[in-house]
């Protein structure tokens, strides 16, 4: 640490610039470290976009307004959008695993990172920088004009190379994501026959919340027999374990599994509609593991026997099993 | 100027650590982008230091190349996901499928 060097360099910046830097830089570092620590990739992407915007601010402060604008347009506009797009394509519900697959890798990484930081910071801090000269501007165009002048007079060949690179990259992306069809396309008729042969659900899946106490996406629908249908909740919500169990007719889906089907038959009393006062009751998010089959119809032949209304009094049963 | 260089250093180290620690291909890729941006920041800072637009020009070219790289890289990730149903770097252990 060479304090006088830092002071000298800071003196070269105006006070306003220093204040701006000390506001923006911590934000940048904090949101960049989200890349390391964020559990979900979407959070990391949003933090990355924040970093990019802050970087654009710093570019403007560094006499590079053209690059600042280009940064916002190219990085936050195009690149991060692409990232989020692919993230959605690949599946947002997949949380990154933090399990260490190579033994000692994390420790080695920390050591390596610290070493890299020390080396780079040493090189940066030991350098003695004279007062910055400042960017010359072209007479007509300001900073964009100066950059354009440099690009088109000094580096025209590089520019052409880069243009070729962009075309090739776009073609490469098309080729790589293209999928040749190996089998003939199945017609609607064949699909329909296959579906009937398989004997699975023929109709569209029920919408979430139908006949349930509320119509939010995470509340399973209730069928005519009063059973809740976990298949009606979208797959993404289910795989995150966010299915709520708020049923109008007090029929937790767990009871479908219980050995006595008589108990699982609904009381079919539309009394007490839903009682939103006892909300949520997130009965064990382990439930969505039981998949899309509301088959095993729990004897709809004798759905009556309104003996005991399926005992809503012990919701902690779900917590145990 | 030293402040900017220190910031660029910190960002670069964070990006490198991300690539080493994380397993998800997309997040590793974002770490690479962060490293490129840190280098860009250093270029722009040096451009002002030396009074030469060349630093900004090369930062511009880096930006374009990074955009091309993102296009190809994300295409690879999508192709991997199609073949393997996962984008975790631990599970990609074959060059063909």
């Amino acid at each position: 640490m060479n304090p006088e060097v830092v002071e000298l360099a800071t003196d070269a910046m105006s006070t306003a610039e220093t204040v701006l830097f000390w506001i923006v830089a911590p934000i940048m570092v904090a949101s960049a470290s989200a890349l390391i620590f964020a559990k979900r990739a979407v959070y990391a992407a949003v933090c990355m976009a924040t970093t990019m915007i802050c970087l654009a601010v710093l570019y403007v402060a560094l006499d590079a307004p053209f690059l600042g604008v280009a940064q916002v347009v190219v990085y936050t506009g195009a690149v991060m959008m692409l990232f989020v797009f692919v993230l959605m394509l690949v599946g947002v519900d997949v949380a990154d695993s933090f399990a260490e697959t190579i033994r000692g890798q994390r420790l080695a990484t920390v050591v390596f990172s610290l070493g890299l930081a020390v080396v780079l910071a040493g090189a940066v801090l030991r350098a003695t920088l004279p007062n910055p000269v400042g960017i010359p501007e072209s007479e007509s165009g300001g900073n964009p004009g100066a950059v354009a002048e440099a690009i088109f007079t000094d580096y025209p060949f590089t520019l052409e190379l880069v243009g070729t690179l962009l075309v090739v990259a776009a073609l490469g992306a098309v080729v790589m994501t293209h999928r040749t069809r190996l089998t003939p396309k199945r017609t609607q008729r064949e699909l329909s026959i296959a579906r009937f042969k398989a004997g699975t659900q023929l109709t569209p899946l029920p919408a979430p919340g139908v006949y349930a106490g509320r119509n939010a996406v995470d509340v399973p629908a209730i069928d005519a027999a009063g059973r809740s249908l976990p298949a009606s909740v979208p797959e993404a919500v289910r795989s995150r374990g966010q299915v709520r169990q708020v049923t109008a007719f007090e029929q937790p889906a767990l009871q479908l599994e219980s050995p006595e089907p008589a108990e699982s038959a609904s009381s079919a009393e539309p009394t007490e509609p839903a009682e939103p006062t006892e909300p949520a009751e997130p009965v064990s998010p382990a439930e969505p593991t039981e998949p899309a089959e509301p088959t095993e119809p729990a004897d709809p032949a004798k759905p009556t026997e309104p003996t005991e209304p399926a005992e809503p009094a012990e919701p902690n049963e779900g917590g145990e099993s | 100027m030293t402040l900017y260089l220190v910031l660029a250093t910190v960002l670069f180290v964070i990006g490198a650590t991300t690539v080493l620690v994380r397993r998800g291909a997309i997040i590793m890729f974002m770490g690479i982008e962060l490293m490129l941006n840190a280098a860009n920041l250093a270029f722009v800072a040096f451009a002002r230091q030396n009074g030469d637009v060349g630093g900004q020009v090369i930062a511009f070219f880096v930006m374009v190349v990074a955009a091309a790289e993102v296009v190809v890289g994300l295409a690879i990730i999508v192709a991997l996901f199609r073949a393997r149903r996962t984008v975790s770097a631990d599970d990609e252990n074959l060059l063909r499928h």
Side-chain angles (χ1 to χ4, degrees), chain A residues 62-68 135-138 140-149, chain B residues 53 56:
Chain A
L62 276 171
D63 292 341
F66 170 70
L67 272 188
I135 294 291
E137 299 203 335
S138 75
S140 53
N143 173 259
V147 173
E149 233 176 80
Chain B
V53 196
Q56 296 187 9

Side-chain angles (χ1 to χ4, degrees), chain A residues 202-219:
Chain A
L202 297 174
T203 56
L205 288 175
V210 177
Y211 300 129
R214 47 194 79 181
N215 59 358
V217 212
D218 54 348
V219 177

Side-chain angles (χ1 to χ4, degrees), chain A residues 1 8 301:
Chain A
M1 294 293 284
L8 185 142

Side-chain angles (χ1 to χ4, degrees), chain A residues 9 17 21-22 28-29 32 35-36 38-39 41 45 48 52 55 58-59 61-64 67 71 75 79 82-83 86-87 90 96 98 101 105 109 112-113 117 120 124-125 130 132-136 143 147 150-151 155 158 162 165-166 169 173 176-177 179, chain B residues 1-7 9-14 16-18 20-24 26-27 29-31 33-34 37 40-41 44-45 47-53 56-57 59-61 63-66 68 70-72 74-76 78-79 81-82 87 90:
Chain A
E17 195 184 341
F21 179 88
W22 282 113
M28 278 179 78
V29 173
L35 273 186
I36 306 180
K39 267 234 164 54
M48 187 75 183
M52 298 298 174
L55 206 56
L58 286 191
Y59 284 167
L62 276 171
D63 292 341
L67 272 188
Q71 173 85 8
Y75 266 107
V79 170
L82 255 184
F83 267 111
V86 170
L87 224 51
V90 161
D96 207 10
F98 274 79
T101 44
Q105 185 213 11
T109 302
F112 170 81
S113 301
L120 289 178
V124 164
L125 291 177
V133 181
I135 294 291
N143 173 259
V147 173
I151 288 178
Y155 308 99
T158 318
V162 159
L165 176 74
L166 277 180
M176 237 173 303
T177 51
R179 192 161 33 173
Chain B
M1 285 307 109
T2 313
L3 281 181
Y4 289 105
L5 296 182
V6 169
L7 178 63
T9 302
V10 171
L11 290 183
F12 191 90
V13 170
I14 290 177
T17 314
T18 303
L20 289 177
V21 166
R22 300 305 294 257
R23 297 267 69 98
I26 297 181
I27 297 189
F29 206 24
M30 283 195 242
E33 291 302 308
L34 191 62
N37 275 288
N40 266 356
L41 180 61
V44 176
R48 180 161 149 212
Q49 173 72 37
N50 295 327
D52 189 355
V53 196
Q56 296 187 9
V57 171
F60 172 74
F61 282 135
M63 227 182 252
V64 177
V65 172
V70 163
V71 169
V72 176
L74 288 182
I76 291 177
V78 169
F81 178 72
R82 271 198 193 146
V87 291
D90 281 332

